[in-house]
Amino acid sequence: MPPDRLDATFTALADPTRRAILARLAQGEASVNELAEPFAMSLPAISKHLKVLERAGLISRGRDAQRRPCRLEAAPLKEVAEWAEHYVRVWEERLDRLDEYLQELQRAEKKQGRKK
Amino acid sequence: MIDMKRDVTSTSGREIILTRVLNAPRELVWKTWTEPKHVDQWMGPRGFKTKTDSMDVRPGGTWHYVMSHAEYGTFDNLITYREVVRPERLVYSHGTSEEPEQFHVTVTFVEEGGKTRLTMHSVWPTVEAFEAVRKFNVEDGGKQTLERLAEHLATQS
């Protein structure tokens, strides 16, 4: 991939909303309304993101004037987006567990302190 | 959907930065990252058991652990430490025994009024390294481990 194209791709992937859009499109094509739905975001704002993704060649837009469905292109980068989302989910859960575990440890320490 | 407000920022498609304020002093948080008896208690995602095989926390030292799940099987993990600055920073590579250099992680521990701000910065250096992670994650059935893991996690929430 030429360096400036790779650059545009990583810029496109730098935004968490855009990565989430790619992860959604990995499950199948969707209209702009369908894509906007999970985010508390206006249609113009979503459209801006879609333009960036389209310029980077990561999505294509159908010609159906009514729906203009969006489709994912560039399979390896879709995997990067999916992988990033999964990685974040896994680590969020681990950090939740760590937080709980730290509270348990501190409670146990306090108990031991009182027994002495 | 990921709760973007809580943990995550990312500055490029090649790296992920997570940050969390943990309600515990820094020395204790450091212990939970560097001692087998602690780390095995929280490292696995739900449904997984983590068992440390060996752990040597110093530059060039390694931590080998196995994650196992009743349904999804076992996953081998190898961490090679690059920098160890107690109690403030851990830098390591994360991979498997066959492919040890898959991605590069920096974890910092910062005191914030009796609590600890933990930041994890994970980078995969090249698309090739990403491909290596992908290979590691592909199961016999052809379905990616992380995909199944994400599905599994989704059923838990």
Side-chain angles (χ1 to χ4, degrees):
Chain A
M1 197 183 278
D4 54 343
R5 169 71 167 231
L6 194 58
D7 231 3
T9 302
F10 279 116
T11 303
L13 288 178
D15 181 276
T17 304
R18 291 198 284 268
R19 285 201 309 279
I21 290 172
L22 290 177
R24 164 60 185 82
L25 289 175
Q27 292 162 23
E29 65 178 46
S31 67
V32 179
N33 286 319
E34 283 165 349
L35 289 174
E37 214 233 310
F39 308 98
M41 205 177 271
S42 66
L43 283 185
I46 282 282
S47 293
K48 269 199 190 140
H49 285 302
L50 294 177
K51 278 205 185 77
V52 174
L53 289 170
E54 202 174 2
R55 263 201 304 269
L58 288 169
I59 67 171
S60 58
R61 310 281 297 267
R63 277 209 298 265
D64 175 344
Q66 292 273 328
R67 286 188 66 246
R68 294 221 70 201
C70 304
R71 187 182 301 113
L72 188 65
E73 306 289 347
L77 292 158
K78 138 194 163 184
E79 290 179 50
V80 172
E82 280 183 319
W83 191 91
E85 303 283 299
H86 297 156
Y87 185 87
V88 165
R89 275 198 199 101
V90 170
W91 270 103
E92 282 205 333
E93 207 203 36
R94 277 183 180 146
L95 293 177
D96 285 345
R97 270 181 70 155
L98 175 57
D99 216 352
E100 283 165 23
Y101 181 59
L102 285 165
Q103 303 321 306
E104 279 171 37
L105 283 179
Q106 290 176 95
R107 276 196 294 269
E109 266 175 22
K110 279 208 183 84
K111 263 198 190 149
Q112 281 198 325
R114 278 202 287 275
K115 275 189 186 151
K116 281 187 192 147
Chain B
M1 240 39 273
I2 293 175
D3 178 0
M4 288 298 168
K5 293 182 283 283
R6 213 158 53 140
D7 296 319
V8 183
T9 61
S10 170
T11 54
S12 83
R14 240 176 283 173
E15 60 195 324
I16 294 165
I17 301 171
L18 292 110
T19 187
R20 177 82 70 101
V21 176
L22 295 162
N23 195 1
R26 188 163 66 156
E27 277 285 353
L28 184 60
V29 180
W30 177 268
K31 277 190 177 161
T32 60
W33 276 76
T34 56
E35 292 177 18
K37 72 176 185 216
H38 289 309
V39 87
D40 287 355
Q41 296 303 311
W42 65 269
M43 184 58 80
R46 219 167 314 174
F48 282 84
K49 278 192 151 50
T50 303
K51 187 73 178 60
T52 291
D53 201 42
S54 62
M55 190 179 207
D56 183 12
V57 185
R58 60 191 170 126
T62 61
W63 171 29
H64 180 235
Y65 64 98
V66 178
M67 282 176 10
S68 57
H69 189 276
E71 213 185 305
Y72 302 138
T74 65
F75 305 97
D76 172 58
N77 289 268
L78 185 71
I79 285 196
T80 308
Y81 297 101
R82 305 292 166 202
E83 277 179 54
V84 177
V85 183
R86 180 191 178 126
E88 55 187 63
R89 186 166 70 254
L90 281 171
V91 180
Y92 58 83
S93 308
H94 188 170
T96 66
S97 310
E98 284 106 36
E99 313 217 33
E101 291 287 329
Q102 285 167 6
F103 52 101
H104 192 78
V105 183
T106 301
V107 187
T108 58
F109 306 78
V110 177
E111 274 267 345
E112 268 187 19
K115 299 186 186 184
T116 305
R117 174 173 293 279
L118 181 107
T119 303
M120 261 194 91
H121 186 167
S122 308
V123 184
W124 55 91
T126 60
V127 175
E128 287 73 30
F130 173 73
E131 290 294 314
V133 175
R134 213 180 110 261
K135 261 201 323 216
F136 157 61
N137 286 324
V138 172
E139 290 292 88
D140 282 11
K143 201 167 186 205
Q144 294 199 15
T145 302
L146 285 178
E147 216 171 71
R148 281 164 37 183
L149 178 57
E151 279 168 16
H152 170 73
L153 290 176
T155 67
Q156 302 296 309
S157 49

